Amino acid sequence: MDTRTALLAAHDLIQEEGWIQGKRHNKMGYCAFGALKQSVFGDADADAAQHAVTKGIIFTQAVLALYDYIESDNDFYWNYGNVPTLAGYNDFPGRSKEEILTMFTTAANNC
């Protein structure tokens, strides 16, 4: 697995299982962070430190690619205290599943 594959796998997981806010996962689906962890580690609640270095590097590169996307969203970036986080972007009021899917696709295509 590489970074692009991890991002697209998280996209597909949300597309197929559903998207949620406020938690990493539940029976309704996954948040962006939970979907990425599930895709890379096989567990939405995984502790990255307990996994192989290669998986940790892929996860970190994927998160950085998502942050690049988040920082390009000027409305979110400047209205959310200039400290964007993946959870903050996912949970931002009014955010849609389509916006999260676009984030994953764009980040994957920019890897």
Side-chain angles (χ1 to χ4, degrees), residues 73-108:
D73 182 343
N74 289 327
D75 288 337
F76 173 76
Y77 188 75
W78 292 113
N79 292 317
Y80 203 72
N82 296 341
V83 184
T85 65
L86 186 52
Y89 191 80
N90 184 87
D91 294 347
F92 195 69
R95 182 74 59 221
S96 71
K97 177 181 177 180
E98 290 72 27
E99 289 174 302
I100 297 300
L101 293 173
T102 297
M103 173 185 68
F104 277 109
T105 302
T106 303

Side-chain angles (χ1 to χ4, degrees), residues 27-46:
K27 64 183 179 181
M28 301 299 293
Y30 292 84
C31 75
F33 192 68
L36 186 59
K37 287 187 114 179
Q38 182 70 33
S39 296
V40 175
F41 301 119
D43 180 356
D45 294 315

Side-chain angles (χ1 to χ4, degrees), residues 50-91:
Q50 295 179 0
H51 289 273
V53 171
T54 302
K55 285 185 178 183
I57 290 169
I58 291 167
F59 180 76
T60 301
Q61 289 172 336
V63 169
L64 291 173
L66 294 172
Y67 279 174
D68 285 344
Y69 178 86
I70 290 168
E71 287 180 352
S72 74
D73 182 343
N74 289 327
D75 288 337
F76 173 76
Y77 188 75
W78 292 113
N79 292 317
Y80 203 72
N82 296 341
V83 184
T85 65
L86 186 52
Y89 191 80
N90 184 87
D91 294 347

